[in-house]
Amino acid sequence: MQPLTSNGQVTGRTSPSVIDLIAAVATGFAGSYGLARKDVPDVMPGVAIAISLVPPLAVAGVTAAAGDWGSAWGAFLLFASNVVAMILAGTIVFTLYGYHREAQTAPGFRKRPAYAVIVAALALILVPLGLTTAQTAREQVWLQQAATAAQAWAAQSGYALQDVSFDGPDLDVDIQGTGPGPPSSQLLARLRGQLPAGTPVVVNTINGGLVLIGRVPG
């Protein structure tokens, strides 16, 4: 059975960022516009829901069933941010189209508390999204530094660096070549100061399989 971490449709929805929130707002505008305009096909709101809400919720369920609670939380965070984004976009669009005047005639409707709830929800969802965005940015810097170190390490033995990536907490280094491989201890030494201390490093020699060579020294 193919692991979930190798499925791009899953991993792409477990680390949401502020960019995902902006994209969801744009999708919400499209769906709300379809509801507000009678001359727009009714399929547009359905498409907006299908691409924004269903996939992350499905990924949250699949990863939770697999016991990957970190990925499940990330997917649920994406689902929650998409819900807030679509509500925000819908509020703006319907207000511009004058629906707020009809809502004010409804018994018990109060505009300010409704807007306050939306703003509070948006602020609440921005906190974890901001943290995730910052973590993703840090990981990209680490990957660039690790790739530079690993490329020089592999080249000394005539090997070529194929890829450097994170698989959960592990750094995967894929190299390809023939003959004796470069010493593992030298890679760990090169990664010192380039990655957080204690990061597990796994080397894949393409033909030789995955080997945990140790952890980045402090």
Side-chain angles (χ1 to χ4, degrees):
M1 183 177 179
Q2 188 182 33
L4 293 176
T5 54
S6 64
N7 190 323
Q9 295 297 324
V10 173
T11 57
R13 294 184 171 90
T14 56
S15 298
S17 66
V18 176
I19 299 299
D20 294 303
L21 179 65
I22 296 174
V25 170
T27 304
F29 278 131
S32 302
Y33 179 80
L35 287 174
R37 293 289 297 270
K38 302 300 182 182
D39 56 337
V40 176
D42 293 337
V43 70
M44 185 178 290
V47 171
I49 293 174
I51 66 177
S52 296
L53 303 184
V54 177
L57 193 58
V59 170
V62 170
T63 51
D68 187 355
W69 297 106
S71 296
W73 159 248
F76 183 78
L77 177 61
L78 178 59
F79 167 76
S81 65
N82 287 353
V83 170
V84 173
M86 296 188 73
I87 292 175
L88 175 64
T91 301
I92 295 174
V93 170
F94 294 147
T95 298
L96 292 176
Y97 271 87
Y99 284 93
H100 65 289
R101 288 189 291 270
E102 297 182 14
Q104 288 175 350
T105 62
F109 175 79
R110 291 192 296 175
K111 182 173 61 176
R112 289 185 178 179
Y115 288 165
V117 170
I118 295 174
V119 172
L122 180 61
L124 186 63
I125 209 71
L126 279 173
V127 173
L129 284 181
L131 294 175
T132 304
T133 302
Q135 177 63 23
T136 301
R138 283 195 297 267
E139 289 182 356
Q140 290 303 314
V141 172
W142 292 337
L143 284 177
Q144 291 177 1
Q145 296 175 163
T148 300
Q151 187 172 21
W153 165 75
Q156 68 183 5
S157 297
Y159 276 68
L161 179 67
Q162 299 298 309
D163 187 37
V164 176
S165 61
F166 280 112
D167 182 7
D170 299 347
L171 177 74
D172 287 352
V173 179
D174 299 341
I175 58 175
Q176 188 173 22
T178 58
S184 301
S185 59
Q186 292 186 11
L187 175 59
L188 295 176
R190 287 177 179 271
L191 292 175
R192 183 176 185 177
Q194 307 300 314
L195 293 177
T199 301
V201 180
V202 177
V203 173
N204 179 12
T205 58
I206 306 299
N207 297 324
L210 297 172
V211 177
L212 177 64
I213 64 172
R215 297 176 180 270
V216 176

